[in-house]
Amino acid sequence: MIEFQHLGKTWPDGTRALSDVSLQVPRGQFCVVLGPSGAGKSTLLRAVNGLMRPTEGRLTIDGIEFNADTERALRQRVAMIHQHFNLTLRMSVAGNVLSGLLPVVSTGRALLGWFTPEHRRKACALLERVGLDPRHLRRRAGELSGGQQQRVGIARAFMLDPEVVLADEPVASLDPKISRDILALVREAARERNTTVLCSLHQVDLAREFGDRIVGMRDGRVVFDGTPAEFSDER
Ligand code: ADP
Ligand code: ADP
């Protein structure tokens, strides 16, 4: 369970990005954070892997408070899927998926030498799971289409068996048909592993179709919290 307690964020330039956000997200939930650009979705998600340091409130994962002492351990339980995929474009597809293990690779070791045959098998199995043809394994990630790159991004995210996956506008740069395929894939992969997903979206129709729950945000505040059916009733 992820618990946000009265979380607030004021950026150094004075921008108020989050105000008094309190939420409990149970293990295994696919929680969509819905709102327009600038609502604070990305800021909220980034609190969960320590990329954003809140200025007020507390964040706990399974009862452990996120702070300087626990940050390193907690980050290893959280993976991220990005809007712009964030692959290393010159690296192979397989290399990108293996790089999902980097949070546990001790510094200074030769990167590729560290991966075991078991790691490689796991990377291949995940790529197969996300529907990427094995022929693509040795291709450079930059040669793939956007939809294929996001499949690689999903495989990389699940490489460490995370308890939490943060998906920050994962389909904002993909067309609608591919967007549905990608969201379905994230949801299924998460269900199989009981992974909690926090997924930011700005499209109402996708939020209603894929969310177990919708948290609506505007100007850094939670303005709706309920099921997709309740969300529809409100309009
Ligand atoms: P969303 O993900 O919903 O588009 P964000 O969380 O990215 O919203 O942004 C919320 C607000 O915080 C916006 O006003 C944005 O410009 C601002 N913001 C985001 N990151 C920073 C930053 N590093 N410094 C200053 N302001 C920021
Ligand atoms: P994306 O949509 O891919 O998240 P953004 O343009 O929202 O990209 O943000 C890219 C980076 O810029 C993030 O690290 C964010 O924190 C930062 N950022 C966003 N808005 C501002 C802002 N108003 N001032 C300073 N940094 C910002």
Side-chain angles (χ1 to χ4, degrees):
M1 157 119 94
I2 308 169
E3 190 164 10
F4 302 85
Q5 297 173 24
H6 306 291
L7 221 66
K9 176 67 177 181
T10 304
W11 289 105
D13 67 359
T15 305
R16 187 80 177 139
L18 292 177
S19 295
D20 196 21
V21 174
S22 293
L23 296 168
Q24 293 184 342
V25 184
R27 182 82 199 256
Q29 187 171 68
F30 193 106
C31 180
V32 169
V33 181
L34 176 68
S37 177
K41 308 181 296 294
S42 184
T43 303
L44 183 70
L45 262 54
R46 282 156 191 259
V48 184
N49 63 1
L51 283 176
M52 188 286 294
R53 218 166 272 273
T55 44
E56 295 123 52
R58 274 160 40 101
L59 173 75
T60 64
I61 300 179
D62 294 337
I64 303 170
E65 184 172 354
F66 211 109
N67 59 35
D69 295 332
T70 58
E71 176 170 346
R72 201 181 143 82
L74 287 179
R75 284 176 87 143
Q76 292 186 11
R77 305 188 188 186
V78 183
M80 193 150 185
I81 299 171
H82 303 262
Q83 172 178 353
H84 301 293
F85 324 130
N86 286 31
L87 304 182
T88 303
L89 298 178
R90 297 170 61 88
M91 202 195 272
S92 71
V93 164
N96 271 280
V97 176
L98 285 165
S99 76
L101 291 171
L102 289 185
V104 297
V105 177
S106 57
T107 50
R109 291 208 191 182
L111 198 59
L112 287 169
W114 187 84
F115 299 117
T116 63
E118 189 51 42
H119 291 142
R120 289 166 199 280
R121 273 194 291 275
K122 185 169 180 184
C124 291
L126 275 166
L127 281 164
E128 194 179 324
R129 176 65 190 83
V130 299
L132 210 72
D133 196 301
R135 280 179 311 169
H136 294 318
L137 242 71
R138 289 178 194 284
R139 291 180 68 189
R140 289 185 184 192
E143 293 169 20
L144 304 183
S145 70
Q148 287 172 328
Q149 286 193 30
Q150 194 58 301
R151 288 174 194 269
V152 178
I154 295 167
R156 176 180 62 184
F158 282 96
M159 195 66 198
L160 256 187
D161 298 318
E163 287 165 39
V164 181
V165 165
L166 307 174
D168 192 4
E169 293 271 9
V171 298
S173 37
L174 301 173
D175 73 41
K177 159 78 175 77
I178 293 174
S179 295
R180 290 200 152 73
D181 294 345
I182 291 291
L183 288 172
L185 200 51
V186 176
R187 188 171 63 179
E188 285 161 22
R191 279 206 182 134
E192 288 162 11
R193 297 163 176 80
N194 199 29
T195 311
T196 310
V197 180
L198 276 175
C199 176
S200 69
L201 293 172
H202 62 270
Q203 305 98 322
V204 173
D205 57 337
L206 293 179
R208 280 165 46 182
E209 187 173 339
F210 290 96
D212 293 327
R213 170 186 184 182
I214 298 177
V215 171
M217 288 190 70
R218 194 170 287 270
D219 299 329
R221 293 179 182 279
V222 174
V223 293
F224 174 87
D225 185 1
T227 62
E230 289 162 350
F231 186 83
S232 311
D233 290 346
E234 250 199 17
R235 302 306 69 205

